[in-house]
Amino acid sequence: NMTNQFRTLIGYENTLLSWDGIYANDVMNRKKRREGYKAYTDDFLQHIYSLNTRWSISDGMTFSNTAYLVKSSGYYEVEKSAGHEYVPQDTTNQENHDDFLEFIQSYNLDSFYEESDSSDTLDLTLLRRKWIVNSYSGIVPVFTIQKSKFRLDIGGEFRAYFGDHFGEITDFSNPELSDSLGTDWVKYYQYFGQKYSITGFAHLVFDVGDNLKVIQDFQVQKHDWNLDQKKIGHAAGHNLSALWKFLNPRFGLVYSVNNRMSVFLNYGKAQKEPADSQIIEADDVWSTPVMAAAEVVTNSETGWSLNTNSLNFNVNAYRILYSNEQLKNIDVEQEGEYDYYTAGSTVHQGFEYELSFHLSSNLQYQMNGMFNDHHFSGGINKGKKLTNIPVVLVNVGLNWQVYQDANVSANWKYVGTQYIDKENYGTIDPYSVFDVYFSYRWQNLRATLKVNNIFDALYSTHGYGYEGNGYQAYYWPGATRNIFLTISYHM
């Protein structure tokens, strides 16, 4: 009556990634969109262990539990530099001199550096790593009662998190620093994060008669958060704590008109504590803590579904109201980081649909998509669209079973206009991508060929923009034509 399953997953990756977008004018240039963009190093090791238990107590009554432990460590590495020709007697160079000293101080190097009175070149290149060594563990017990007319799940989660965040620098090009510090790694910031979370929930599904189903959920959460920043140089050494308590209800109805058609209504509320960086950017030696509010989401949905032997059709309308929505932009001054900000109130609303039917016994048509409106509903950007969310999305697919062992599929995707900044100055133009898929099986051998973006369209998938010597826009280009061939053999 009881099963226990132990799982472990150990993964390591060392990846060269590109953080910066490319210039807007280079997106449609096949050569420029591929060259000259620096890659950074991301190195990460993670261990995941879990014990999954299921106990059949009696007919219609079960208990399950997942106990887990996750341990991780890794760093993000980049070369940073600052360089200016500085002559002390020339006041026109004072701004460059101040920029250089600010760079020195931001890495807590000013105590190791002595400025020369003579004419000098103040330059510095260094290698920086931002580390995280963390672990979290917990249990997720759930007790279930299943009867003919209802199902009740009562459960919770208990989670403990600890993270050690620190930054190290080395490989100094400036002789004054290299003589003082040598080749050792120098720690310029460190902070410890802790969070203990307790969640309890109840989930009830109750059949009222033969056609009506009622769904009721309640969730309570408590998060105890602490952040301890060490005092290193200009880092003041803040010790912060906060306690969040949330009650999240949800209520739903599903009415079956008949065995082919049904409709549903749903209302729910959820809340989320602020991200650490919304309270303090503890890896920035100048950062000071600020007040940050929890994110509150209320969601209302309704939908209609029709399912027959040859036709499936679903449509859904939703309206989601956010208070203090946590949004982010690319941080143009610190690669590898986001600039978080909070929108006082936002709205996410629209329609989603999916359709599939058989044109013949071996030819199937599929289509899904959405029409939506995501905008700021308050503040200075009231009425503006939220960033990097397409207004329209459409997928159309055909699947042809040529015969039992051969299959051909084609898919067309259309992505509508997207805005890349909260003022809606920059946009990503609509684009279409066409993919094809071939599969053939011969006895125990299967070969699959997939060609994505078969017409080699040039497009962008994401972007960001900001004001700096005029408006600047940057984009990430989407993949051009690419081909995957998979060969598998089944014993």
Side-chain angles (χ1 to χ4, degrees):
N1 295 327
M2 180 181 290
T3 60
N4 293 276
Q5 182 185 62
F6 177 75
R7 294 180 178 179
T8 182
L9 173 65
I10 301 174
Y12 170 73
E13 59 90 10
N14 183 285
T15 304
L16 293 180
L17 55 89
S18 178
W19 176 256
D20 303 313
I22 66 172
Y23 296 116
N25 293 336
D26 293 350
V27 172
M28 305 306 290
N29 186 306
R30 292 186 181 275
K31 183 179 180 181
K32 288 185 178 181
R33 62 191 254 144
R34 296 177 65 93
E35 67 182 17
Y37 304 105
K38 184 176 180 179
Y40 307 109
T41 301
D42 186 64
D43 190 285
F44 200 70
L45 172 66
Q46 187 172 68
H47 304 246
I48 303 174
Y49 308 96
S50 67
L51 177 63
N52 303 281
T53 301
R54 180 177 175 83
W55 177 26
S56 297
I57 302 172
S58 63
D59 186 24
M61 188 178 298
T62 60
F63 174 80
S64 63
N65 181 66
T66 297
Y68 60 87
L69 170 65
V70 180
K71 299 185 72 66
S72 310
S73 65
Y75 62 84
Y76 179 81
E77 179 181 280
V78 61
E79 185 181 87
K80 301 292 290 183
S81 63
H84 302 289
E85 262 320 297
Y86 170 60
V87 181
Q89 295 80 9
D90 185 355
T91 58
T92 61
N93 287 279
Q94 187 62 43
E95 183 178 349
N96 290 342
H97 173 252
D98 293 343
D99 289 344
F100 179 80
L101 289 183
E102 182 179 347
F103 180 82
I104 292 282
Q105 293 166 357
S106 66
Y107 289 100
N108 284 323
L109 292 171
D110 40 324
S111 61
F112 302 101
Y113 182 80
E114 294 184 6
E115 186 177 333
S116 173
D117 292 332
S118 61
S119 184
D120 197 8
T121 299
L122 299 182
D123 61 22
L124 175 61
T125 300
L126 55 85
L127 191 65
R128 186 196 73 189
R129 286 181 177 177
K130 288 189 172 183
W131 278 88
I132 180 171
V133 180
N134 64 5
S135 65
Y136 58 94
S137 58
I139 58 173
V140 189
V142 180
F143 178 73
T144 301
I145 300 175
Q146 178 91 49
K147 299 297 182 181
S148 60
K149 289 291 186 178
F150 77 93
R151 170 177 173 153
L152 174 64
D153 298 279
I154 299 175
E157 180 179 15
F158 307 90
R159 176 186 296 206
Y161 170 86
F162 176 80
D164 180 6
H165 308 250
F166 58 92
E168 295 182 324
I169 49 178
T170 189
D171 202 14
F172 308 102
S173 64
N174 188 285
E176 297 246 358
L177 290 171
S178 60
D179 290 343
S180 301
L181 300 171
T183 58
D184 293 336
W185 288 94
V186 178
K187 188 176 294 184
Y188 73 97
Y189 77 84
Q190 185 172 25
Y191 66 94
F192 304 97
Q194 289 183 316
K195 183 159 68 173
Y196 300 95
S197 299
I198 300 176
T199 299
F201 71 87
H203 171 70
L204 174 65
V205 180
F206 184 69
D207 291 333
V208 182
D210 296 329
N211 296 333
L212 181 62
K213 183 179 293 184
V214 178
I215 304 168
Q216 182 70 66
D217 288 91
F218 285 103
Q219 180 194 61
V220 292
Q221 290 183 311
K222 178 183 175 182
H223 302 288
D224 186 359
W225 174 85
N226 295 274
L227 188 147
D228 183 13
Q229 181 194 51
K230 291 188 67 175
K231 181 174 176 58
I232 303 177
H234 297 283
H238 298 283
N239 195 330
L240 309 173
S241 62
L243 181 65
W244 290 281
K245 298 178 181 179
F246 302 131
L247 172 62
N248 301 319
R250 186 169 73 93
F251 178 76
L253 295 172
V254 180
Y255 179 71
S256 299
V257 180
N258 51 48
N259 60 359
R260 295 183 175 182
M261 187 183 303
S262 64
V263 295
F264 79 87
L265 294 170
N266 183 78
Y267 172 83
K269 179 181 179 181
Q271 299 169 83
K272 181 181 182 297
E273 71 278 11
D276 291 2
S277 58
Q278 289 184 278
I279 301 172
I280 184 173
E281 295 180 12
D283 57 353
D284 179 356
V285 298
W286 310 111
S287 182
T288 56
V290 297
M291 295 294 293
E295 184 181 67
V296 183
V297 183
T298 56
N299 175 41
S300 302
E301 294 188 43
T302 184
W304 176 75
S305 177
L306 174 64
N307 298 292
T308 68
N309 292 333
S310 59
L311 172 67
N312 294 313
F313 180 67
N314 300 287
V315 62
N316 178 40
Y318 65 93
R319 180 175 171 83
I320 305 173
L321 303 179
Y322 273 83
S323 297
N324 307 314
E325 182 173 3
Q326 299 171 11
L327 302 172
K328 61 186 179 182
N329 287 328
I330 294 296
D331 190 331
V332 297
E333 296 180 354
Q334 289 289 342
E335 63 288 314
E337 296 183 9
Y338 291 101
D339 178 19
Y340 287 88
Y341 66 99
T342 299
S345 58
T346 56
V347 175
H348 301 250
Q349 59 189 0
F351 294 91
E352 304 165 325
Y353 63 91
E354 58 181 351
L355 168 69
S356 67
F357 62 89
H358 288 274
L359 297 170
S360 66
S361 60
N362 60 350
L363 184 62
Q364 184 181 23
Y365 173 85
Q366 297 174 316
M367 181 178 183
N368 63 65
M370 65 178 183
F371 301 92
N372 60 56
D373 172 31
H374 302 257
H375 66 268
F376 296 93
S377 55
I380 60 174
N381 294 309
K382 183 177 181 180
K384 302 290 187 180
K385 302 293 185 182
L386 296 177
T387 61
N388 290 291
I389 304 176
V391 177
V392 178
L393 181 65
V394 180
N395 290 287
V396 177
L398 281 174
N399 183 63
W400 180 30
Q401 193 76 35
V402 182
Y403 53 89
Q404 184 175 358
D405 297 323
N407 188 77
V408 178
S409 298
N411 186 79
W412 174 76
K413 176 174 69 176
Y414 173 81
V415 180
T417 300
Q418 302 175 65
Y419 296 91
I420 65 171
D421 57 78
K422 57 188 177 182
E423 293 82 13
N424 293 175
Y425 294 144
T427 61
I428 296 176
D429 293 333
Y431 63 88
S432 297
V433 177
F434 192 79
D435 305 327
V436 293
Y437 172 96
F438 308 92
S439 177
Y440 181 77
R441 185 181 65 186
W442 181 73
Q443 296 182 355
N444 294 338
L445 188 69
R446 177 181 288 276
T448 302
L449 177 67
K450 187 172 184 181
V451 184
N452 297 317
N453 193 2
I454 191 171
F455 296 122
D456 205 23
L458 299 181
Y459 61 96
S460 299
T461 60
H462 194 87
Y464 63 95
Y466 66 95
E467 289 286 346
N469 296 323
Y471 180 77
Q472 307 291 326
Y474 296 87
Y475 296 90
W476 282 272
T480 52
R481 184 188 298 118
N482 56 96
I483 301 172
F484 290 87
L485 175 64
T486 304
I487 299 175
S488 58
Y489 182 79
H490 299 271
M491 302 294 288

